[in-house]
Amino acid sequence: HMACDYGRYACVQMLLDNGVDANDRLTDESKSTSAMLASQNGHVGILALLVARNADLNLADSFGCTAAHWASRYGHLLVLQLIIKSSADLSKTDTNGQTTLDWARTYKQPQCFDLLLSTGAPGTDLTPLPQVTESSKEALVNAAKPPPTSPLTPVAKKNLLLSSNWPTSSLHKPL
């Protein structure tokens, strides 16, 4: 499973060649399959290999999510296209009743949402999502930047360096 998670194609191929089942599940509480992990991380080549080795893309984890849910959640369009071409059931719902289309909407993945909508995938809200434009990408990047800091004035630097301005405790006594 780690090989699928980290995109190690050769390792996945070797494991499958040596008898590991493409539908094996993690033993943790998620019960994820290798296909789900590849879908979460956008590893389309690994997912194609798993599909070629009969991975069942309709299996759900302990949250009711399929590989399609995870690809939609993280906006992995090529992975989602492969899942759709592999005839996965896009009507499956998670434990909260949310479809793959609902996940694309919830996690604001307009390309995945549009692709799913174009295939007739069911969902609770079919209102199109706004497309991400270059200006909206720039606005998101700028919003994530920390605010500029003002340089310290010479007086502020001097005050900062004075030991009397530093808090003391029983563990840290001034020299």
Side-chain angles (χ1 to χ4, degrees):
H1 291 106
M2 287 181 65
C4 293
D5 201 11
Y6 291 105
R8 305 291 190 241
Y9 185 93
C11 288
V12 174
Q13 188 171 27
M14 181 198 65
L15 290 166
L16 293 171
D17 288 346
N18 285 292
V20 173
D21 183 356
N23 293 309
D24 274 354
R25 293 178 177 272
L26 286 175
T27 56
D28 68 2
E29 69 277 355
S30 73
K31 306 295 183 223
S32 295
T33 65
S34 294
M36 291 171 203
L37 296 172
S39 297
Q40 287 173 9
N41 293 289
H43 301 308
V44 68
I46 290 175
L47 184 63
L49 177 61
L50 292 166
V51 168
R53 301 291 182 97
N54 299 316
D56 184 351
L57 299 180
N58 292 320
L59 292 177
D61 61 17
S62 60
F63 309 105
C65 301
T66 64
H69 281 91
W70 291 112
S72 296
R73 161 65 175 96
Y74 292 106
H76 297 305
L77 189 62
L78 293 176
V79 170
L80 189 57
Q81 288 172 334
L82 175 60
I83 291 169
I84 291 168
K85 286 180 184 175
S86 300
S87 302
D89 182 359
L90 302 176
S91 68
K92 292 187 84 75
T93 60
D94 66 10
T95 54
N96 293 316
Q98 300 294 297
T99 65
T100 300
L101 184 71
D102 295 325
W103 272 46
R105 166 171 282 297
T106 298
Y107 294 104
K108 298 175 177 49
Q109 302 294 346
Q111 291 180 320
C112 291
F113 182 85
D114 290 347
L115 175 63
L116 290 162
L117 196 60
S118 73
T119 66
T124 57
D125 184 355
L126 304 181
T127 308
L129 281 170
Q131 291 298 314
V132 177
T133 63
E134 287 305 312
S135 61
S136 64
K137 281 183 194 173
E138 186 177 327
L140 286 172
V141 168
N142 288 335
K145 288 181 182 175
T149 57
S150 58
L152 290 176
T153 64
V155 172
K157 281 184 187 177
K158 181 181 174 187
N159 288 337
L160 184 62
L161 295 174
L162 291 175
S163 64
S164 62
N165 290 334
W166 289 93
T168 61
S169 71
S170 60
L171 298 175
H172 298 89
K173 296 199 185 277
L175 299 176

